C-alpha cells in the first residue's frame, strides 16, 4: 500500500523503481511550502507578522509547523522557524530533516539551522529579506529558493503597512 501513502503526501507516483527496499522519491517542496504559507496566513490573521515554517522528514512527513508569534505573544524569540522547531519536538538527528519557511531565515533562525544540523532549507522567497542564506550555503546546507510570488507579496504588503514592527523583527533601528 505504498502508492496511497505517496499520493496522500502529494508525492509523485512515478518515482524510480525501488532499490534494495528503498523508494527514491523527490520531496514535493511546493506542497511543503503550502503548509508554511498557511501558517503565515494564520499569523497575519492573528495580527502578527506573516512568516510561517514547517519541518518535514525526508519522506515528506510533517513533524511540526508554526508561525511568527512575536507580536501575539510579546516574545522576541518566537520566529516562525523556532515555533515549528518547538512543535516538532525532540528529534534524534536533524541532518535529514527539511526546514521549510516562507522567508529566507534571519541570522537567529539560520543559527538554529546550523546548531542542529538541518541538511536542507527550503525558502519561499528572499526578495524582501536575504537573512543568512549565503552563510548557510557556505556551510554546506542545501538551500532551495522557490521564489514564490505569493510569499513575497504577502510579506511586502505587511512591511509596507507595518514598517516599524518589521524593522523590530529583523533587528533594524
Amino acid at each position: 500500500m505504498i502508492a496511497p501513502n505517496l499520493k496522500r503526501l502529494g508525492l509523485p507516483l512515478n518515482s524510480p523503481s525501488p532499490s534494495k527496499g528503498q523508494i527514491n522519491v523527490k520531496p514535493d517542496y511546493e506542497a511543503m511550502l503550502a503548509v508554511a504559507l498557511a501558517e503565515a496566513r494564520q499569523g497575519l490573521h492573528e495580527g502578527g507578522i506573516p512568516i510561517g515554517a514547517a519541518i518535514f522528514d525526508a519522506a515528506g512527513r510533517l513533524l511540526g509547523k508554526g508561525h511568527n508569534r512575536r507580536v501575539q505573544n510579546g516574545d522576541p524569540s518566537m520566529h516562525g522557524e523556532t515555533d515549528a522547531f518547538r512543535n516538532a519536538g525532540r528529534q534524534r538527528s536533524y541532518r535529514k530533516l527539511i526546514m521549510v519557511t516562507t522567508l529566507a531565515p534571519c541570522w537567529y533562525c539560520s543559527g538554529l539551522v546550523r546548531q542542529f544540523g538541518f541538511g536542507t532549507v527550503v525558502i519561499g522567497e528572499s526578495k524582501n529579506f536575504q537573512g543568512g542564506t549565503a552563510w548557510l550555503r557556505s556551510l554546506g546546507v542545501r538551500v532551495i529558493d522557490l521564489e514564490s510570488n505569493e510569499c513575497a507579496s504577502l510579506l511586502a504588503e505587511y512591511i509596507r503597512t507595518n514598517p516599524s514592527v518589521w524593522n523590530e523583527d529583523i533587528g533594524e533601528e
Side-chain angles (χ1 to χ4, degrees):
M1 288 299 175
I2 292 172
N5 288 334
L6 293 175
K7 188 174 181 182
R8 179 180 55 81
L9 292 170
L11 299 173
L13 298 177
N14 58 350
S15 61
S17 298
S19 165
K20 295 184 182 179
Q22 299 295 317
I23 296 177
N24 186 9
V25 177
K26 181 181 176 192
D28 185 347
Y29 297 130
E30 293 288 341
M32 292 176 175
L33 181 61
V35 174
L37 190 53
E39 285 293 313
R41 287 190 197 103
Q42 178 63 32
L44 182 62
H45 177 75
E46 294 170 1
I49 302 167
I51 301 170
I55 298 172
F56 296 86
D57 68 14
R61 185 174 62 97
L62 177 64
L63 301 176
K65 60 185 179 174
H67 54 273
N68 188 304
R69 297 175 192 262
R70 295 184 73 250
V71 174
Q72 300 92 310
N73 293 4
D75 179 352
S77 69
M78 190 53 78
H79 289 208
E81 296 88 340
T82 57
D83 193 27
F85 181 73
R86 289 172 179 166
N87 289 331
R90 291 175 58 198
Q91 304 295 318
R92 183 174 178 156
S93 173
Y94 297 85
R95 303 229 184 277
K96 293 182 180 178
L97 300 186
I98 304 166
M99 171 72 79
V100 181
T101 180
T102 57
L103 178 67
C106 68
W107 287 103
Y108 169 62
C109 295
S110 293
L112 181 146
V113 168
R114 169 64 178 99
Q115 173 69 30
F116 291 94
F118 282 85
T120 303
V121 175
V122 175
I123 58 178
E125 67 100 357
S126 60
K127 292 177 190 173
N128 289 300
F129 183 73
Q130 291 78 44
T133 55
W135 178 65
L136 289 172
R137 284 185 174 118
S138 77
L139 297 170
V141 176
R142 184 174 180 215
V143 178
I144 301 164
D145 189 342
L146 297 179
E147 299 178 6
S148 164
N149 290 328
E150 188 174 3
C151 289
S153 62
L154 181 67
L155 186 59
E157 178 59 21
Y158 183 86
I159 292 169
R160 188 185 68 73
T161 59
N162 301 279
S164 62
V165 176
W166 170 248
N167 286 333
E168 176 190 328
D169 191 63
I170 61 170
E172 296 291 325
E173 296 288 324

